[in-house]
CSV table of all heavy atoms in Angstrom, one decimal:
chain,number,residue,atom,x,y,z
A,1,VAL,N,99.8,103.5,97.4
A,1,VAL,CA,99.7,103.9,98.8
A,1,VAL,C,101.1,104.2,99.2
A,1,VAL,O,102.1,103.7,98.8
A,1,VAL,CB,99.2,102.7,99.7
A,1,VAL,CG1,97.7,102.5,99.4
A,1,VAL,CG2,100.0,101.4,99.5
A,2,GLU,N,101.2,105.2,100.1
A,2,GLU,CA,102.5,105.7,100.7
A,2,GLU,C,102.5,105.2,102.1
A,2,GLU,O,101.6,105.4,102.9
A,2,GLU,CB,102.6,107.2,100.7
A,2,GLU,CG,102.5,107.8,99.3
A,2,GLU,CD,103.7,107.5,98.4
A,2,GLU,OE1,104.7,107.1,99.0
A,2,GLU,OE2,103.6,107.6,97.2
A,3,ILE,N,103.6,104.6,102.5
A,3,ILE,CA,103.8,104.0,103.8
A,3,ILE,C,104.9,104.7,104.6
A,3,ILE,O,106.0,104.9,104.0
A,3,ILE,CB,104.1,102.5,103.7
A,3,ILE,CG1,103.1,101.8,102.8
A,3,ILE,CG2,104.1,101.8,105.1
A,3,ILE,CD1,101.7,101.8,103.4
A,4,LYS,N,104.7,105.0,105.8
A,4,LYS,CA,105.7,105.7,106.6
A,4,LYS,C,106.6,104.6,107.3
A,4,LYS,O,106.1,103.5,107.6
A,4,LYS,CB,105.1,106.6,107.7
A,4,LYS,CG,104.3,107.8,107.1
A,4,LYS,CD,105.2,108.7,106.4
A,4,LYS,CE,104.4,110.0,105.9
A,4,LYS,NZ,105.3,110.9,105.1
A,5,LYS,N,107.8,105.0,107.6
A,5,LYS,CA,108.7,104.1,108.3
A,5,LYS,C,108.1,103.7,109.6
A,5,LYS,O,107.5,104.5,110.3
A,5,LYS,CB,110.0,104.8,108.6
A,5,LYS,CG,111.1,104.0,109.3
A,5,LYS,CD,112.3,104.8,109.5
A,5,LYS,CE,113.4,103.9,110.3
A,5,LYS,NZ,114.6,104.7,110.5
A,6,ASN,N,108.2,102.4,109.9
A,6,ASN,CA,107.7,101.7,111.2
A,6,ASN,C,106.2,101.4,111.1
A,6,ASN,O,105.7,100.7,112.0
A,6,ASN,CB,108.0,102.5,112.4
A,6,ASN,CG,109.5,102.6,112.7
A,6,ASN,OD1,110.2,101.7,112.4
A,6,ASN,ND2,109.9,103.8,113.2
A,7,ASP,N,105.5,101.9,110.0
A,7,ASP,CA,104.1,101.5,109.9
A,7,ASP,C,104.0,100.1,109.4
A,7,ASP,O,104.9,99.5,108.9
A,7,ASP,CB,103.3,102.4,108.9
A,7,ASP,CG,103.0,103.8,109.5
A,7,ASP,OD1,103.2,104.0,110.7
A,7,ASP,OD2,102.6,104.7,108.7
A,8,PHE,N,102.8,99.5,109.6
A,8,PHE,CA,102.6,98.1,109.3
A,8,PHE,C,101.8,98.0,108.0
A,8,PHE,O,100.7,98.6,107.8
A,8,PHE,CB,101.8,97.4,110.4
A,8,PHE,CG,102.7,97.2,111.6
A,8,PHE,CD1,102.7,98.1,112.7
A,8,PHE,CD2,103.5,96.0,111.7
A,8,PHE,CE1,103.5,97.9,113.8
A,8,PHE,CE2,104.3,95.9,112.8
A,8,PHE,CZ,104.3,96.8,113.9
A,9,LEU,N,102.3,97.2,107.1
A,9,LEU,CA,101.6,96.9,105.8
A,9,LEU,C,100.6,95.7,106.1
A,9,LEU,O,99.5,95.7,105.6
A,9,LEU,CB,102.6,96.5,104.8
A,9,LEU,CG,102.2,96.7,103.3
A,9,LEU,CD1,101.8,98.1,103.1
A,9,LEU,CD2,103.3,96.3,102.4
A,10,ILE,N,101.0,94.8,106.9
A,10,ILE,CA,100.2,93.7,107.3
A,10,ILE,C,100.3,93.6,108.9
A,10,ILE,O,101.4,93.6,109.4
A,10,ILE,CB,100.7,92.3,106.7
A,10,ILE,CG1,100.4,92.4,105.2
A,10,ILE,CG2,99.9,91.1,107.3
A,10,ILE,CD1,100.9,91.1,104.4
A,11,GLU,N,99.2,93.4,109.6
A,11,GLU,CA,99.2,93.4,111.0
A,11,GLU,C,98.8,92.0,111.5
A,11,GLU,O,97.9,91.3,111.0
A,11,GLU,CB,98.2,94.4,111.6
A,11,GLU,CG,98.5,95.8,111.2
A,11,GLU,CD,97.6,96.8,111.9
A,11,GLU,OE1,97.5,96.8,113.1
A,11,GLU,OE2,96.9,97.6,111.2
A,12,LYS,N,99.6,91.6,112.5
A,12,LYS,CA,99.3,90.3,113.1
A,12,LYS,C,97.9,90.2,113.7
A,12,LYS,O,97.5,91.2,114.3
A,12,LYS,CB,100.4,90.0,114.2
A,12,LYS,CG,100.2,88.6,114.9
A,12,LYS,CD,101.2,88.3,115.9
A,12,LYS,CE,101.0,87.0,116.6
A,12,LYS,NZ,102.1,86.7,117.6
A,13,GLY,N,97.2,89.1,113.5
A,13,GLY,CA,95.9,88.9,114.1
A,13,GLY,C,94.8,89.4,113.2
A,13,GLY,O,93.6,89.1,113.5
A,14,LYS,N,95.1,90.2,112.1
A,14,LYS,CA,94.1,90.6,111.2
A,14,LYS,C,94.1,89.8,109.9
A,14,LYS,O,95.1,89.1,109.6
A,14,LYS,CB,94.3,92.1,110.9
A,14,LYS,CG,94.1,93.0,112.1
A,14,LYS,CD,94.1,94.5,111.7
A,14,LYS,CE,93.8,95.4,112.8
A,14,LYS,NZ,93.9,96.8,112.4
A,15,THR,N,93.0,89.8,109.2
A,15,THR,CA,92.9,89.0,108.0
A,15,THR,C,93.5,89.9,106.8
A,15,THR,O,93.1,91.1,106.7
A,15,THR,CB,91.5,88.6,107.7
A,15,THR,OG1,91.0,87.9,108.8
A,15,THR,CG2,91.4,87.8,106.4
A,16,ALA,N,94.4,89.3,106.0
A,16,ALA,CA,95.0,90.0,104.9
A,16,ALA,C,94.0,90.0,103.7
A,16,ALA,O,93.7,89.0,103.1
A,16,ALA,CB,96.2,89.3,104.5
A,17,ASN,N,93.4,91.2,103.5
A,17,ASN,CA,92.4,91.4,102.4
A,17,ASN,C,93.1,92.0,101.2
A,17,ASN,O,92.4,92.3,100.2
A,17,ASN,CB,91.3,92.2,102.9
A,17,ASN,CG,90.5,91.5,103.9
A,17,ASN,OD1,90.2,90.3,103.8
A,17,ASN,ND2,90.1,92.2,105.0
A,18,HIS,N,94.4,92.3,101.3
A,18,HIS,CA,95.1,92.9,100.1
A,18,HIS,C,96.5,92.3,100.0
A,18,HIS,O,97.0,91.7,100.9
A,18,HIS,CB,95.3,94.4,100.4
A,18,HIS,CG,94.0,95.2,100.5
A,18,HIS,ND1,93.3,95.3,101.6
A,18,HIS,CD2,93.4,96.0,99.6
A,18,HIS,CE1,92.2,96.1,101.4
A,18,HIS,NE2,92.3,96.5,100.2
A,19,TYR,N,97.0,92.4,98.8
A,19,TYR,CA,98.5,92.2,98.7
A,19,TYR,C,99.1,93.4,98.0
A,19,TYR,O,98.4,94.2,97.4
A,19,TYR,CB,98.8,90.9,98.1
A,19,TYR,CG,98.5,90.7,96.7
A,19,TYR,CD1,99.4,91.2,95.7
A,19,TYR,CD2,97.4,89.9,96.3
A,19,TYR,CE1,99.1,90.9,94.3
A,19,TYR,CE2,97.2,89.6,94.9
A,19,TYR,CZ,98.0,90.2,94.0
A,19,TYR,OH,97.7,89.9,92.6
A,20,PHE,N,100.4,93.5,98.0
A,20,PHE,CA,101.1,94.7,97.6
A,20,PHE,C,102.3,94.4,96.8
A,20,PHE,O,103.0,93.3,96.9
A,20,PHE,CB,101.6,95.5,98.9
A,20,PHE,CG,100.5,95.8,99.9
A,20,PHE,CD1,100.2,94.8,100.8
A,20,PHE,CD2,99.9,97.0,99.9
A,20,PHE,CE1,99.2,95.1,101.7
A,20,PHE,CE2,99.0,97.3,100.9
A,20,PHE,CZ,98.6,96.3,101.8
A,21,PHE,N,102.7,95.3,95.9
A,21,PHE,CA,103.9,95.3,95.2
A,21,PHE,C,104.7,96.5,95.6
A,21,PHE,O,104.1,97.6,95.7
A,21,PHE,CB,103.8,95.3,93.7
A,21,PHE,CG,103.3,94.0,93.1
A,21,PHE,CD1,102.0,93.9,92.6
A,21,PHE,CD2,104.1,92.9,93.1
A,21,PHE,CE1,101.6,92.7,92.1
A,21,PHE,CE2,103.7,91.7,92.6
A,21,PHE,CZ,102.4,91.6,92.1
A,22,ILE,N,106.0,96.4,95.9
A,22,ILE,CA,106.8,97.5,96.5
A,22,ILE,C,107.4,98.2,95.3
A,22,ILE,O,108.2,97.6,94.5
A,22,ILE,CB,107.9,97.0,97.4
A,22,ILE,CG1,107.3,96.2,98.6
A,22,ILE,CG2,108.7,98.1,97.9
A,22,ILE,CD1,108.3,95.5,99.5
A,23,GLU,N,107.1,99.5,95.2
A,23,GLU,CA,107.8,100.3,94.2
A,23,GLU,C,109.1,100.9,94.8
A,23,GLU,O,110.1,101.0,94.1
A,23,GLU,CB,106.9,101.5,93.8
A,23,GLU,CG,107.6,102.4,92.8
A,23,GLU,CD,106.6,103.5,92.3
A,23,GLU,OE1,105.4,103.3,92.3
A,23,GLU,OE2,107.1,104.5,91.8
A,24,SER,N,109.1,101.3,96.0
A,24,SER,CA,110.3,101.7,96.7
A,24,SER,C,110.2,101.5,98.2
A,24,SER,O,109.1,101.4,98.7
A,24,SER,CB,110.5,103.3,96.4
A,24,SER,OG,109.5,104.0,97.0
A,25,GLY,N,111.4,101.3,98.8
A,25,GLY,CA,111.4,101.1,100.3
A,25,GLY,C,111.7,99.7,100.6
A,25,GLY,O,111.8,98.8,99.8
A,26,PHE,N,111.8,99.4,101.9
A,26,PHE,CA,112.1,98.1,102.5
A,26,PHE,C,111.2,97.8,103.6
A,26,PHE,O,110.8,98.6,104.4
A,26,PHE,CB,113.6,98.1,103.0
A,26,PHE,CG,114.6,98.5,101.9
A,26,PHE,CD1,115.0,99.8,101.8
A,26,PHE,CD2,115.0,97.5,101.0
A,26,PHE,CE1,115.9,100.1,100.8
A,26,PHE,CE2,115.9,97.8,100.0
A,26,PHE,CZ,116.4,99.1,99.9
A,27,PHE,N,110.9,96.5,103.7
A,27,PHE,CA,110.0,95.9,104.8
A,27,PHE,C,110.6,94.7,105.4
A,27,PHE,O,111.5,94.1,104.8
A,27,PHE,CB,108.6,95.6,104.2
A,27,PHE,CG,107.8,96.7,103.7
A,27,PHE,CD1,108.1,97.3,102.5
A,27,PHE,CD2,106.8,97.3,104.5
A,27,PHE,CE1,107.3,98.4,102.0
A,27,PHE,CE2,106.1,98.4,104.0
A,27,PHE,CZ,106.3,98.9,102.8
A,28,ARG,N,110.1,94.3,106.5
A,28,ARG,CA,110.5,93.0,107.1
A,28,ARG,C,109.2,92.3,107.7
A,28,ARG,O,108.4,93.1,108.3
A,28,ARG,CB,111.6,93.1,108.1
A,28,ARG,CG,111.2,93.6,109.4
A,28,ARG,CD,112.3,93.5,110.5
A,28,ARG,NE,111.8,94.0,111.8
A,28,ARG,CZ,111.9,93.4,112.9
A,28,ARG,NH1,112.4,92.1,112.9
A,28,ARG,NH2,111.4,93.9,114.0
A,29,SER,N,109.2,91.0,107.7
A,29,SER,CA,108.2,90.3,108.5
A,29,SER,C,109.0,89.7,109.7
A,29,SER,O,110.2,89.5,109.6
A,29,SER,CB,107.5,89.2,107.7
A,29,SER,OG,108.5,88.3,107.2
A,30,TYR,N,108.3,89.5,110.8
A,30,TYR,CA,109.0,89.0,111.9
A,30,TYR,C,108.0,88.3,112.9
A,30,TYR,O,106.8,88.4,112.8
A,30,TYR,CB,109.7,90.1,112.7
A,30,TYR,CG,108.8,91.1,113.3
A,30,TYR,CD1,108.3,91.0,114.7
A,30,TYR,CD2,108.3,92.3,112.7
A,30,TYR,CE1,107.4,91.9,115.2
A,30,TYR,CE2,107.5,93.2,113.2
A,30,TYR,CZ,107.1,93.0,114.5
A,30,TYR,OH,106.2,93.9,115.1
A,31,SER,N,108.6,87.5,113.7
A,31,SER,CA,107.8,86.8,114.8
A,31,SER,C,108.5,87.1,116.1
A,31,SER,O,109.7,87.5,116.1
A,31,SER,CB,107.7,85.3,114.6
A,31,SER,OG,109.0,84.7,114.5
A,32,VAL,N,107.9,86.9,117.2
A,32,VAL,CA,108.4,87.1,118.5
A,32,VAL,C,108.6,85.7,119.2
A,32,VAL,O,107.6,85.0,119.4
A,32,VAL,CB,107.5,88.0,119.4
A,32,VAL,CG1,108.1,88.2,120.8
A,32,VAL,CG2,107.4,89.4,118.7
A,33,ASN,N,109.8,85.4,119.7
A,33,ASN,CA,110.0,84.1,120.3
A,33,ASN,C,109.6,84.1,121.7
A,33,ASN,O,109.1,85.1,122.3
A,33,ASN,CB,111.5,83.7,120.1
A,33,ASN,CG,112.5,84.6,120.9
A,33,ASN,OD1,112.1,85.4,121.8
A,33,ASN,ND2,113.7,84.5,120.5
A,34,LEU,N,109.8,83.0,122.4
A,34,LEU,CA,109.3,82.8,123.8
A,34,LEU,C,110.0,83.7,124.7
A,34,LEU,O,109.5,84.0,125.8
A,34,LEU,CB,109.5,81.3,124.2
A,34,LEU,CG,108.7,80.3,123.4
A,34,LEU,CD1,109.0,78.9,123.8
A,34,LEU,CD2,107.2,80.6,123.6
């Protein structure tokens, strides 16, 4: 799969039905504080 910058590989609130190995590129997970 090809992913564009700023797109989401995993979305908050949805169930993760896949997992991924990264061939190229960078990602981050994050949370939002109070």
Side-chain angles (χ1 to χ4, degrees):
V1 291
E2 302 292 341
I3 308 296
K4 297 294 185 182
K5 181 179 179 180
N6 296 324
D7 283 353
F8 289 92
L9 206 57
I10 294 176
E11 297 185 60
K12 181 179 179 181
K14 293 187 177 181
T15 303
N17 295 317
H18 298 82
Y19 68 80
F20 307 81
F21 287 109
I22 302 173
E23 179 174 337
S24 64
F26 302 94
F27 294 81
R28 74 172 183 126
S29 60
Y30 66 90
S31 60
V32 178
N33 64 17
L34 295 176

